Amino acid sequence: MIDFGYTINKDRQIDFDNADRRIIEYVAKEESTISICLICGACTATCSAGNFTDFNIRKITNMIRVGEVENLREEIKKCMLCGKCQLVCPRGVNTRNIILKINEAIKLFH
């Protein structure tokens, strides 16, 4: 086969029927402010851990909403729990507690 220097992108379809929704349901029950998060990215823009690693709160929030929980444990470990994300959130989402609740949910379900 001829190598043209590019590849076909990986399939990005989300199977909501088979998605693992246990983590988002647990977090929503324990920290209700996650339901008002607009995923605007203000938290990610000020994240101290994000300055030194590829940690991204916005990405993690989106991942649990669509049920992508693979590698979530490794991503959560990068958070330093400094709370700067919570201070800049325009909707007052308790992002620090959301990270803690995700960590609890991972221990419970995985």
Side-chain angles (χ1 to χ4, degrees), residues 26-99:
Y26 179 82
V27 173
K29 183 176 134 196
E30 298 290 324
E31 181 54 59
S32 62
T33 59
I34 194 169
S35 63
I36 60 171
C37 176
L38 297 172
I39 310 179
C40 66
C43 52
T44 300
T46 59
C47 180
S48 297
N51 288 334
F52 301 109
T53 66
D54 60 348
F55 181 71
N56 187 324
I57 300 171
R58 183 181 186 191
K59 179 180 166 187
I60 289 172
T61 305
N62 208 19
M63 285 171 63
I64 63 170
R65 285 184 175 176
V66 298
E68 291 180 14
V69 294
E70 295 175 25
N71 304 324
L72 193 58
R73 183 184 310 249
E74 296 304 315
E75 289 294 319
I76 292 296
K77 285 180 182 175
K78 297 174 187 173
C79 179
M80 300 188 303
L81 295 174
C82 66
K84 285 168 64 178
C85 52
Q86 187 177 341
L87 294 174
V88 298
C89 179
R91 310 247 6 222
V93 175
N94 191 346
T95 50
R96 190 167 181 254
N97 196 34
I98 288 172
I99 295 293

